[in-house]
Amino acid sequence: MFLTNVLLKKAKSKNIMVLMESMVSGHKYITIRERLADKLEVVRFDPFIQKESVYKERKKIRSV
C-alpha cells in the first residue's frame, strides 16, 4: 500500500441518519443518532392518529 492511500482514507462518521417508524400507524420520519449508541425508541406525536405513539428505529439510511 502506498503512503498516499493511507493518508487519504476517509474516517467513519460519528453520526448516522436512521428511519424511525410508528408502531401504531406506520408513519415514518428521519432522525440522526450517534453511530455507537443503541437503537432508538422514542415516544413522539403521530399525525396520522393525532396522539403520541412509540417510534422504533427501522434501518440506517446513511452516514452524516
Side-chain angles (χ1 to χ4, degrees):
M1 190 181 314
F2 296 108
L3 183 59
T4 54
N5 288 350
V6 174
L7 295 175
L8 298 177
K9 278 204 170 184
K10 193 172 182 182
K12 281 202 170 184
S13 170
K14 186 177 179 185
N15 298 318
I16 59 172
M17 189 179 291
V18 293
L19 180 70
M20 303 291 289
E21 183 177 13
S22 170
M23 296 289 93
V24 179
S25 68
H27 176 254
K28 297 177 180 104
Y29 78 96
I30 296 170
T31 189
I32 295 171
R33 74 164 170 90
E34 287 190 6
R35 179 180 296 279
L36 300 177
D38 293 334
K39 288 196 169 194
L40 290 178
E41 188 170 320
V42 295
V43 174
R44 185 177 158 138
F45 183 79
D46 189 335
F48 289 176
I49 60 170
Q50 297 294 313
K51 293 181 182 177
E52 288 187 339
S53 69
V54 176
Y55 282 79
K56 287 188 178 180
E57 180 178 326
R58 281 294 159 220
K59 66 178 185 176
K60 173 188 162 193
I61 297 174
R62 68 182 185 106
S63 297
V64 179

